[in-house]
Amino acid sequence: MCGIAGWISYQRDLETQQTAVDAMTETMSCRGPDDRGTWVRGPAALGHRRLAVIDLPGGRQPMSVDTPRGPVAMVYSGEVYNFTELRAELASRGHRFGTSSDTEVVLHGYLEWGAAVAERLNGMYAFAIWDDREQQLVMIRDRMGIKPFYYAPTPDGVLFGSEPKAILANPLARRAVTADGLRELFAFVKTPGHAVWDGMREVEPGTVVTVGRGGIRSHAYWSLETRPHPHGQRETIAHVRELMDDIVNRQLVADVPLCTLLSGGLDSSAMTALAARRLAESGERVRSFAVDFVGQAENFVADALRTTPDTPYVHDVARASRTQHEDIVLDSDQLADPEVRSQVIRARDLPAGFGDMDASLYLLFKAIRRQSTVALSGESADEVFGGYLQFFDPEARKGRTFPWLVRFAEQFGDDESILTEPVGKLLDLDGYTRDSYATAVADVQRLDGESDFEFRMRTISHLHLTRFVRVLLDRKDRASMAVGLEVRVPFCDHRLVEYVYNAPWALKSFDGREKSLLREATADVLPRSVYDRVKSPYPSTQDPAYAVALQRGLRDLLATPSHPVFDLVSRDWLKRAVGNAAPQINQASRRGLERTLDLALWMDIYRPTLELT
C-alpha cells in the first residue's frame, strides 16, 4: 500500500519543477513511510511514497520499463491478489521479471494489454502510468473504489494524487469549495466522481481516465450489472463459502505482520474465523484487535441501533478461533482530544461528520500499527449481503429517497439544522438529495420478469454498493493510511459482489433475517452467540463526559465570533446546544456539536475559500 502523486504539463519541462513535485509527493508520507521516489521526464512527473508489504527490497517505485519507443513509468498503490497467476501468464508471453512484486506484474500487464489490464486484476488499486510512446497518462482505479484516487485538470494537463492534499500542495491548485461542494459535503449521497474541492474530481471506481495532448477522456471497464442468478439456496450458500475461502486465503498473503479487525459482528467474526482456520494449517495464529470504550460493556444502554455491546461477542470469537487478541480501550478524553480530531481532519481532507466514530477508528488503527502492517476488515458485508436495518424498513422500501436517509434525521440529527438560514436556503439539501437519488436509481438495470418487490430490493442493494459503501471505504482507507496501516476488505472482491448482488432478495433473506447467506455459509466456524446476534453498527461512546468535552471546545469557539465557521453555522443554534446539560444532549445534538467543531478545525487547517454564490 502506498501514496501516489503526479503532474502532467504539456507546456512545461517538469524537470524544472522538482520542488513542487517533491512537495506533492511528501504529502503522501503517512501512506508510505518506508521509501520515497520521483520520476520526471519532460511533461511528466510521478511521485511515490511506499508502505512495503510484498517483496520488501524489490518493489521500489516509481517503476519503469524502457521500450524501443520510449519509457513507460508507473506509480501504484494497492494490492493485486491474483498477481501470481498473471505473472505466470505474462512470463509465458515472453515477459521477464526482476522482482517478485505485484507492482512489476501490473506494469508488464499494461505493456501486454494496455489499459485493458484493469479487467484482469483482482484487488484494490489506484495507479497511474505515463506512456512516453503515446505521450499520455493512464489512471486506473479498482472496481469498488477501495483505494482513493483524485485528479484536477489544468489548462495544459492534470494534477493527480491518492488524496486531495497531494493536489492542493501544487501551486496551480485552488483551495476553494463552492456551494455545490458544500451540498456534497452535507448531503450524504456520495455522488460518483465528486471531490467537494472545486476543480477536483475522483477517478470513479471501475474507470480508466486517459490524459493526452487532446484532453481528458474516461471509460468504465466495470459496472454492477444485472444478470440471472444461476443457483438455488443450497448451491448459493456453498458457492458463497467457496468464494470466501478463496478470497481470505488470497488476502492473507503478506511479507509483514498481519491481523484482523474484530467487532463481534457476523462479518468480522466470519472473516477472522476463516483466516484463523487457514493460518492454523501452517501452525500460525491470527492476531485480532477490537475497539472498546472505558466502562462501555458494564454501563451499556441499548438503543434503536445498538442492542448489545460488542465486547462479549468479540471474546467469544477470540476464544473459539484461538486468536491472539487485544482490545484497544479508549476514554472520552482521547476521543475529544483536539489534536486527534485535527489528525482525523488532515487524514480525510474534509470534515466528514462521523465524530467520535472517526476518532476511535483512527486511534484503533494507530494502536494496531505498532504491531501489524496489514489488517483484514469485515467492511462492506452489510452492503453486499443486506445487513442494515433499512433493508427491512417498510418506509425505506417505498423508494422515495436513499434508504440510509429515511431514519437518518431521527437517529443522528439533521445537518441542515446547524446552518444559518441563508446558507440552508442556498444549499437546498433536500432538492440536491432528490436530484441525486433520481440519477442514482436510473442506473439500476431490471431483470426480465423481475417482480416489483424484487426490483425494489435490487435497487436498494445497488444504491448501497455504488453510493453508501464508498463513504465507508474512503473513511477506512484514510484513517488507516494516516498511520501507515494497510486495511484489506475481503467482502469487496468483485466476484463475490457480482454473485450476491444478483441473488434474489428471497435468497438473501431466506430465514427472515439479515445476511442469511453469509451466516449459513460460515455457520461451522462461528460461535453460536455470534450466529444468533442481531446486526449492530460500529460502536459509539455513550459516556456523557464526551459531550462535556465537546461543549468545552465549542465554548471557546463561541468566544471567537469572527471565526469563518460562522459563515456556515448558526451562532444561535450553537449557543443553545452548548448551553444544554450534557446528559440532556441526545445523539442528534451531539452530532451537530461534532460537525461544528470539525468544520472549524478544517477551516483552521486548510483555510478554504468558500464561494457561496
Side-chain angles (χ1 to χ4, degrees):
M1 196 68 68
C2 307
I4 66 175
W7 184 6
I8 305 301
S9 178
Y10 289 106
Q11 296 177 11
R12 289 179 173 87
D13 178 358
L14 292 183
E15 293 181 37
T16 67
Q17 302 292 324
Q18 189 67 51
T19 299
V21 174
D22 288 343
M24 295 175 70
T25 303
E26 288 312 298
T27 64
M28 296 290 95
S29 60
C30 58
R31 297 185 71 91
D34 296 330
D35 198 6
R36 72 172 303 279
T38 59
W39 184 95
V40 184
R41 181 186 176 104
L46 309 178
H48 188 265
R49 290 291 312 217
R50 185 182 184 208
L51 175 65
V53 172
I54 292 176
D55 188 7
L56 306 192
R60 297 195 67 189
Q61 297 185 51
M63 188 174 287
S64 63
V65 173
D66 289 324
T67 78
R69 295 174 50 212
V72 178
M74 181 175 78
V75 282
Y76 163 86
S77 170
E79 304 291 344
V80 169
Y81 305 121
N82 64 334
F83 79 96
T84 302
E85 298 98 308
L86 290 173
R87 179 189 177 97
E89 181 178 357
L90 288 164
S92 72
R93 292 170 177 256
H95 291 262
R96 297 293 176 262
F97 297 91
T99 76
S100 58
S101 70
D102 59 338
T103 305
E104 189 177 19
V105 172
V106 174
L107 179 55
H108 279 262
Y110 174 81
L111 294 174
E112 181 67 30
W113 298 299
V117 64
E119 300 167 20
R120 297 171 177 263
L121 304 180
N122 177 313
M124 54 180 190
Y125 46 84
F127 58 92
I129 295 176
W130 171 253
D131 191 334
D132 206 61
R133 303 168 302 179
E134 306 295 335
Q135 289 284 290
Q136 69 178 19
L137 179 78
V138 178
M139 298 183 285
I140 299 177
R141 190 177 180 195
D142 67 70
R143 295 169 180 83
M144 293 296 290
I146 305 167
K147 304 313 299 175
F149 202 175
Y150 295 83
Y151 69 99
T154 65
D156 70 332
V158 73
L159 307 169
F160 69 86
S162 292
E163 300 177 8
K165 60 176 63 68
I167 295 169
L168 295 174
N170 189 288
L172 297 180
R174 294 176 65 244
R175 294 190 174 222
V177 177
T178 65
D180 190 62
L182 289 174
R183 292 183 187 104
E184 186 66 21
L185 180 63
F186 283 102
F188 201 12
V189 298
K190 198 61 180 85
T191 304
H194 207 304
V196 177
W197 293 97
D198 189 44
M200 199 180 298
R201 298 283 296 169
E202 280 189 321
V203 177
E204 293 187 32
T207 298
V208 177
V209 176
T210 304
V211 182
R213 292 184 182 275
I216 299 175
R217 65 185 189 276
S218 65
H219 75 272
Y221 69 88
W222 184 86
S223 62
L224 193 58
E225 296 181 352
T226 295
R227 302 167 186 157
H229 185 67
H231 297 141
Q233 180 177 315
R234 182 181 300 177
E235 296 88 348
T236 299
I237 292 169
H239 191 57
V240 167
R241 176 55 177 269
E242 179 184 341
L243 285 169
M244 285 303 304
D245 282 335
D246 181 66
I247 292 164
V248 171
N249 292 350
R250 287 177 181 274
Q251 297 197 22
L252 286 173
V253 175
D255 295 333
V256 292
L258 179 146
C259 68
T260 67
L261 307 178
L262 179 58
S263 72
L266 173 61
D267 321 330
S268 66
S269 300
M271 179 265 301
T272 295
L274 292 176
R277 175 175 287 196
R278 174 64 172 182
L279 291 178
E281 294 173 2
S282 55
E284 300 176 75
R285 290 176 66 191
V286 68
R287 296 206 61 143
S288 61
F289 293 88
V291 68
D292 197 7
F293 306 108
V294 173
Q296 183 95 328
E298 299 85 351
N299 303 301
F300 181 81
V301 178
D303 59 28
L305 289 177
R306 301 173 180 87
T307 58
T308 52
D310 287 346
T311 302
Y313 301 92
V314 166
H315 293 172
D316 285 351
V317 175
R319 282 191 295 270
S321 293
R322 299 186 65 253
T323 75
Q324 192 175 342
H325 181 74
E326 182 177 342
D327 292 324
I328 306 300
V329 183
L330 307 174
D331 61 36
S332 293
D333 288 341
Q334 291 174 282
L335 297 175
D337 184 347
E339 181 55 32
V340 170
R341 300 189 83 90
S342 295
Q343 290 301 323
V344 170
I345 298 290
R346 289 186 175 95
R348 301 290 295 272
D349 294 312
L350 291 170
F354 284 88
D356 75 296
M357 293 186 289
D358 268 351
S360 66
L361 193 68
Y362 171 82
L363 291 169
L364 170 67
F365 289 156
K366 187 175 181 180
I368 290 173
R369 184 61 177 90
R370 299 187 187 107
Q371 303 176 62
S372 291
T373 308
V374 174
L376 271 63
S377 165
E379 192 78 87
S380 308
D382 287 306
E383 291 82 1
V384 174
F385 288 97
Y388 293 116
L389 288 175
Q390 56 260 27
F391 279 88
F392 298 85
D393 187 334
E395 197 63 32
R397 288 176 172 180
K398 290 178 181 177
R400 298 189 179 110
T401 190
F402 292 100
W404 53 90
L405 296 181
V406 169
R407 308 285 179 193
F408 191 87
E410 64 187 68
Q411 292 170 345
F412 301 106
D414 180 4
D415 279 350
E416 197 164 359
S417 66
I418 75 173
L419 301 175
T420 66
E421 185 176 351
V423 170
K425 288 181 178 179
L426 173 67
L427 298 187
D428 183 18
L429 296 180
D430 287 343
Y432 186 73
T433 301
R434 280 194 306 272
D435 292 344
S436 182
Y437 179 72
T439 299
V441 296
D443 290 338
V444 186
Q445 304 163 346
R446 186 168 189 164
L447 189 67
D448 288 345
E450 193 167 46
S451 70
D452 289 345
F453 175 74
E454 281 289 351
F455 180 58
R456 179 58 201 154
M457 297 313 297
R458 178 186 295 281
T459 300
I460 290 176
S461 294
H462 194 280
L463 293 171
H464 279 86
L465 290 166
T466 59
R467 297 287 187 119
F468 189 80
V469 75
R470 295 177 187 177
V471 175
L472 302 185
L473 289 173
D474 186 70
R475 169 179 178 257
K476 184 148 289 182
D477 176 89
R478 302 297 196 88
S480 61
M481 293 308 292
V483 297
L485 176 71
E486 172 178 304
V487 175
R488 300 175 178 178
V489 277
F491 291 106
C492 276
D493 186 293
H494 70 278
R495 299 169 298 162
L496 181 70
V497 171
E498 291 171 349
Y499 182 75
V500 178
Y501 170 68
N502 281 299
W505 181 252
L507 263 184
K508 291 178 186 171
S509 60
F510 64 80
D511 59 0
R513 300 184 61 189
E514 78 283 0
K515 295 181 283 193
S516 307
L517 291 175
L518 178 61
R519 183 179 296 103
E520 290 306 314
T522 56
D524 63 308
V525 296
L526 293 172
R528 187 71 200 191
S529 60
V530 173
Y531 179 92
D532 290 335
R533 190 187 185 194
V534 175
K535 161 71 183 173
S536 184
Y538 183 86
S540 178
T541 181
Q542 296 183 336
D543 186 355
Y546 174 67
V548 172
L550 288 176
Q551 288 177 314
R552 188 164 54 243
L554 288 166
R555 287 192 187 99
D556 294 339
L557 184 62
L558 278 170
T560 313
S562 61
H563 196 285
V565 75
F566 295 115
D567 292 338
L568 300 177
V569 175
S570 166
R571 280 177 53 82
D572 290 339
W573 174 87
L574 187 56
K575 285 179 182 177
R576 291 193 300 271
V578 168
N580 288 333
Q584 297 176 329
I585 295 178
N586 58 24
Q587 184 68 41
S589 296
R590 195 178 91 176
R591 176 179 160 81
L593 295 175
E594 291 173 322
R595 191 67 142 156
T596 301
L597 191 56
D598 288 350
L599 280 165
L601 286 170
W602 173 61
M603 290 177 170
D604 290 341
I605 296 167
Y606 283 85
R607 305 289 179 179
T609 300
L610 300 181
E611 298 179 350
L612 302 181
T613 56

